[in-house]
């Protein structure tokens, strides 16, 4: 059976020692390790039960360890039940037992008792005292000394994260680090990592929204996020997007973050251009762009920065994750309603073909987004270039399939598909000049650009 290590409220796991009765040298080395682990636990307020103390069957700390002839130790009740059930093998090694007798492992029992008595869970008062000490260190302009410990502490469990989120002054102190000029990138990464870990705690989003976007004293937080996006690790970059998306709770905050004066969108587009193979990063970036693209000015800025070409390349990639493709289609459906977006879609050599290729291969919502883009360009704006690209990409067949998959006479996607079929059939007959596409007058009025 696989052995599983359980973690409790304090450090790195211990090496597995399979000998049931350690010889004096091994016992001495184990004692050294044990004292070291206890010291680390008290320092970091986190305990990891040494794997040696777990019963391989129950995975709990052994109360009465006994050893089989194979040399593996088990809790007495667990191995007794195993043998009484008719098994004649060692559960850990699956060796056939030459004898079902077992002997108490007194040495291991003494070690477990010593460990138990030396490592009790820290009290709430101890934890609060530690958090207060961290706050004082940060306020004394020495954040690098404790931020790694805070990250580790927050990673250990829900209770720790809840304590940090609710502790008076903790969030204000942590966010304040982001407004310090010239702070080391490693420090900024730790701060963003801490914020991403406690985001789901009650009231954190609302507090962060005020601290990062509303408070004049912290108005310089955004440059720190930009610094991480330019020079930070992949993990910290993704944490940045998670935090920023969580605080964009209204249109005002979205316009603020994506505003031209903050130079945020150019950094983001450059990021996904230079790191064009990381699907996980692309996924969080596109989610963020969808969240903030509420105003025509933001959409226009994205188009001018080359978002259409970037999304076209993403959709054309055979390795693109489905979620990335679907979010790309969502953004295209948003930007195709502005003049800059229409021009970029018309001028891109492969975007229309990539959209047609993805029809019926994505979710229903993403398929609807794709149809909206094609209908807007071919029917509403009557773009001959796009009509030609769609027609040459077997667009009629694909649109028919989408049309047949939709049910209900009142379905707007079905109606848009009908409009597209009319335009594309004219296009197929006039591949050279597309005069039919120009003369076609659509009477569809159910979708209008915002």
């Amino acid at each position: 059976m696989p052995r599983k290590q359980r973690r409790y409220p304090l450090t790195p796991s211990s090496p597995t020692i399979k000998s049931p009765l350690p010889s004096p040298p091994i016992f001495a080395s184990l004692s050294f390790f044990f004292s070291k682990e206890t010291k680390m636990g008290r320092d970091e307020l986190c305990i990891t039960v040494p794997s040696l103390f777990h019963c391989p069957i129950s995975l709990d700390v052994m109360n009465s360890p006994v050893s089989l002839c194979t040399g593996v130790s088990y809790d007495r009740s667990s191995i007794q039940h195993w043998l009484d059930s008719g098994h004649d093998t060692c559960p850990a090694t699956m060796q056939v037992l030459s004898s079902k007798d077992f002997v108490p492992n007194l040495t291991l029992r003494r070690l477990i008792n010593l460990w138990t008595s030396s490592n009790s869970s820290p009290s709430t008062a101890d934890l609060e005292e530690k958090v207060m000490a961290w706050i004082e260190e940060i306020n004394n302009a020495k954040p690098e000394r404790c931020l790694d410990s805070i990250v580790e502490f927050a990673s250990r469990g829900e209770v720790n994260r809840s304590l940090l989120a609710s502790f008076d002054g903790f969030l204000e102190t942590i966010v304040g680090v982001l407004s310090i000029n010239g702070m080391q990138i490693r420090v900024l990464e730790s701060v963003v990592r801490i914020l991403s870990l406690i985001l789901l705690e009650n009231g954190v989003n609302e507090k962060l929204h005020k601290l990062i976007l509303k408070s004049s004293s912290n108005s310089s937080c955004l440059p720190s996020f930009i610094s991480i996006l330019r020079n930070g690790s992949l993990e910290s970059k993704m944490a940045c997007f998670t935090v920023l998306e969580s605080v964009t709770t209204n249109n005002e905050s979205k316009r603020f973050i994506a505003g031209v004066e903050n130079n945020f969108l150019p950094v983001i587009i450059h990021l996904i251009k230079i790191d064009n193979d990381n699907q996980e990063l692309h996924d969080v970036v596109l989610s963020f762009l969808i969240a903030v693209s509420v105003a025509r000015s933001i959409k226009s800025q994205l188009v001018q920065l080359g978002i259409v070409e970037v999304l076209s390349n993403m959709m054309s990639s055979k390795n693109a994750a489905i979620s990335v493709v679907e979010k790309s289609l969502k953004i295209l459906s948003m930007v195709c309603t502005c003049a800059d977006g229409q021009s970029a879609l018309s001028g891109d050599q492969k975007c229309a073909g990539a959209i047609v290729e993805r029809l019926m291969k994505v979710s229903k919502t993403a398929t609807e987004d794709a149809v909206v883009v094609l209908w807007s360009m071919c029917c509403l704006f009557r773009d001959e270039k796009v009509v030609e690209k769609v027609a040459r990409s077997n667009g009629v067949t694909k649109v028919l399939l989408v049309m047949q998959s939709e049910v209900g006479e009142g379905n707007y996607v079905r109606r848009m598909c009908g409009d597209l079929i009319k335009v594309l059939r004219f296009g197929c007959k006039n591949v050279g000049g597309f005069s039919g596409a120009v003369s076609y007058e659509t009477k569809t009025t159910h979708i209008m650009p915002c």
Side-chain angles (χ1 to χ4, degrees), residues 353-373:
I355 294 174
V356 173
E357 175 63 26
R358 294 294 180 174
L359 285 174
M360 300 299 293
K361 295 181 180 179
V362 290
S363 67
K364 180 179 178 180
T365 300
T367 297
E368 292 174 356
D369 290 329
V371 171
V372 167
V373 177

Side-chain angles (χ1 to χ4, degrees), residues 326-376:
E326 292 178 348
K327 291 174 182 178
S328 297
L329 290 170
K330 171 60 69 178
I331 295 176
L332 287 175
S333 71
M334 298 168 74
V335 302
C336 75
T337 58
C338 65
D340 289 339
Q342 299 157 22
S343 177
L345 283 164
S346 177
D348 191 276
Q349 296 298 314
K350 56 184 179 181
C351 189
I355 294 174
V356 173
E357 175 63 26
R358 294 294 180 174
L359 285 174
M360 300 299 293
K361 295 181 180 179
V362 290
S363 67
K364 180 179 178 180
T365 300
T367 297
E368 292 174 356
D369 290 329
V371 171
V372 167
V373 177
L374 296 178
W375 180 87
S376 297

Side-chain angles (χ1 to χ4, degrees), residues 185-259:
I185 187 67
R186 187 179 68 83
V187 171
L188 299 178
E189 288 180 306
S190 296
V191 170
V192 171
R193 176 63 176 151
I194 293 168
L195 295 178
S196 68
L197 285 170
I198 62 176
L199 272 178
L200 298 181
E201 301 302 318
N202 290 336
V204 170
N205 281 352
E206 292 78 4
K207 290 181 181 178
L208 285 180
H209 179 268
K210 294 178 180 178
L211 290 170
I212 294 178
L213 302 178
K214 293 293 185 180
S215 176
S216 59
S217 62
N218 290 308
S219 59
S220 58
C221 286
L222 289 183
S224 292
F225 285 100
I226 292 177
S227 179
I228 295 174
L229 294 181
R230 285 174 172 165
N231 306 305
S233 65
L234 175 62
E235 182 183 17
S236 62
K237 290 175 182 177
M238 295 179 64
C240 273
F241 287 113
T242 301
V243 173
L244 288 172
E245 186 175 351
S246 73
V247 301
T248 52
T249 55
N250 53 41
N251 289 348
E252 181 185 357
S253 59
K254 293 173 183 179
R255 290 189 179 95
F256 174 75
I257 288 181

Side-chain angles (χ1 to χ4, degrees), residues 266-284:
V267 174
I268 294 176
I269 300 302
H270 178 70
L271 178 63
I272 54 179
K273 280 183 178 180
I274 63 173
D275 198 351
N276 54 14
D277 292 325
N278 194 305
Q279 298 298 300
E280 192 176 9
L281 177 62
H282 288 176
D283 192 76
V284 297

